[in-house]
Amino acid sequence: MLAALLGSALAGTGLAMPPAAGATAGRASVASVVSDTRWVATGVGYRVLDVPSSRGTARVHLLTVDLREGRVSVGLLYPGVVAGRAPLSALADGAGAVAGVNGDFFNLSEAQHPGVPATGAPVGPAVAEGRALKAAVPRGQRFGPALPPGTNTRMVLGVDGDGRARLGELALSGEVRTSEGRIGLGGLNQYALPVGSVGLFTRDWGSVSRLRATCGTDTDRGAPCSTETYEVRVRGGRVVGVADAPGAGAIAAGTQVLVGREAGARWLRGLAVGDQVWVGHRLVPVGGEPDVSFRFAVGGYPVLREGRPLTGMDAVTRAVRSAAGVADGGRRLLLLALDGGQEFRSGLTVVEVAALLRDLGASDGVNLDGGGSSTLVARMDGADAVRALNRPSGGAERPVPNGIGVFVRP
């Protein structure tokens, strides 16, 4: 079994694993260790594994991050705005990270809405240095494999205030208030708003058009754009501008832009320039640990919880994939990307990725964006800059909206 082979081969390297708890349909059963551990930095190890599947061998590039090491931390890599993209190596070098892996699925193209600019914005919530950057799009507006039963687009992988990695769920809580009434917020810096809602856009969004936020529906990403929209610009607690359609361009610090569709648009039309408006928002944990505070979070597709692969996942479709796993009670983080070279491009199924994470010792894990996005970078052999350690399947790094960065203080 994969667990038995890797458990003995990786002993003493910080990558030793407990035995797997039973077989999983469609899983890879054996693996070979291609390289010994190479240390990117104290507490950050890198290895290469080969995992056979029924359609070929998948090469796995694996980073193991020891969060018990006081100088080691992880955080969000992003280009300074939500609706923006850059190669992972540029994001890592720009932030001073020693390593990283690509992050969330994102709005790459808009073939279904000709003339509407693609935003490049990710699907799920994002938190950077304790600050909420964005909330999750509706389930029907997401990109990526079909979600397992009982999960949603609000799922994240992150690190809490105690420095422990964990999976969680972050929901948007917010509202717009005026002297005449109030309305709940349906979105924060996201490329798709729920039908009938009002969404908030801040300077964190960037300069890309906000029009995409009013296209599609909660269940159909390709549905036509709404014909009933409205936009309100707020600064200093007062309305300073209105428009019939969502606009574009950078949003100044201290300015808030409200975009409404259908019922949300009708509510916003009741506002006039000069009216007083209060807008508040935050991301709140959902579930059994409501007091958890995420210092960093990135959206992810959950595949493993409490050592068990989730049911209802795709056991057929193979692809080059990236993933992250939580081990040792959140004190160890596993980051991996498959190689996109021609001889390894058959990849793994989502079910096989879940089994691999479990066999590597993870109790919880997420599948990240894959295909041409799958990239793992690190500073190797004392280099001052990172480089891609896997081969991206497109031949070069695809610009991505975010990633998980590994940082080591001097």
Side-chain angles (χ1 to χ4, degrees):
M1 297 295 287
L2 174 61
L5 176 60
L6 291 181
S8 59
L10 303 183
T13 68
L15 297 177
M17 302 168 301
T24 302
R27 62 169 296 162
S29 59
V30 295
S32 58
V33 179
V34 177
S35 72
D36 293 332
T37 296
R38 298 170 63 186
W39 297 102
V40 179
T42 301
V44 184
Y46 166 66
R47 290 183 73 85
V48 180
L49 313 171
D50 277 354
V51 179
S53 71
S54 62
R55 294 190 180 179
T57 298
R59 176 153 290 181
V60 179
H61 297 260
L62 173 68
L63 286 170
T64 299
V65 184
D66 187 353
L67 296 175
R68 291 165 294 199
E69 171 61 48
R71 296 186 298 145
V72 176
S73 63
V74 294
L76 187 72
L77 300 177
Y78 74 112
V81 294
V82 168
R85 297 191 292 145
L88 183 68
S89 57
L91 296 178
D93 284 339
V98 302
V101 71
N102 65 287
D104 201 357
F105 295 87
F106 62 96
N107 175 211
L108 177 62
S109 65
E110 275 303 320
Q112 296 165 311
H113 303 106
V116 176
T119 66
V123 168
V127 176
E129 297 180 341
R131 187 166 61 89
L133 297 180
K134 71 174 300 290
V137 302
R139 186 186 185 105
Q141 291 270 16
R142 63 180 297 276
F143 293 83
L147 286 170
T151 66
N152 56 61
T153 56
R154 300 190 300 267
M155 303 296 190
V156 297
L157 170 85
V159 171
D160 63 22
D162 294 326
R164 291 179 181 266
R166 61 168 62 232
L167 266 59
E169 181 178 343
L170 291 174
L172 177 64
S173 175
E175 66 176 9
V176 183
R177 291 203 308 258
T178 72
S179 60
E180 301 297 322
R182 65 182 65 190
I183 189 171
L185 281 177
L188 169 65
N189 291 326
Q190 55 199 61
Y191 68 79
L193 294 173
V195 171
S197 72
V198 171
L200 171 64
F201 291 82
T202 69
R203 69 178 306 183
D204 288 326
W205 170 252
S207 59
V208 175
S209 170
R210 298 174 288 276
L211 179 59
R212 175 59 184 84
T214 61
C215 298
T217 67
D218 300 357
T219 57
D220 183 2
R221 191 178 70 216
C225 298
S226 175
T227 59
E228 191 175 9
T229 64
Y230 204 66
E231 182 171 280
V232 171
R233 190 174 293 263
V234 178
R235 186 168 58 246
R238 291 188 179 274
V239 176
V240 296
V242 298
D244 287 328
I251 300 171
T255 297
Q256 299 167 306
V257 175
L258 300 170
V259 173
R261 55 179 299 177
E262 298 87 34
R266 293 192 292 272
W267 194 92
L268 289 179
R269 285 183 184 276
L271 301 178
V273 173
D275 284 353
Q276 287 188 321
V277 178
W278 180 89
V279 185
H281 71 277
R282 61 192 181 105
L283 292 179
V284 297
V286 177
E289 298 183 82
D291 296 329
V292 170
S293 175
F294 280 92
R295 188 172 67 199
F296 140 75
V298 65
Y301 171 103
V303 296
L304 186 69
R305 293 305 302 262
E306 298 180 348
R308 296 180 178 275
L310 275 65
T311 61
M313 297 188 299
D314 186 353
V316 176
T317 306
R318 288 173 171 79
V320 175
R321 303 184 188 277
S322 296
V326 177
D328 296 343
R331 293 307 190 188
R332 189 158 55 98
L333 186 63
L334 309 175
L335 305 177
L336 66 85
L338 304 188
D339 200 283
Q342 187 63 46
E343 65 270 40
F344 303 113
R345 201 168 294 175
S346 59
L348 295 173
T349 68
V350 176
V351 169
E352 288 170 334
V353 167
L356 175 62
L357 287 172
R358 183 181 63 178
D359 287 352
L360 289 170
S363 58
D364 302 280
V366 296
N367 181 54
L368 302 167
D369 192 15
S373 297
S374 283
T375 314
L376 186 140
V377 301
R379 296 182 191 175
M380 301 303 298
D381 304 319
D384 294 329
V386 303
R387 62 180 175 87
L389 300 181
N390 69 325
R391 288 173 292 178
S393 60
E397 288 186 56
R398 172 189 285 171
V400 294
N402 59 30
I404 302 171
V406 182
F407 301 86
V408 179
R409 294 193 306 273

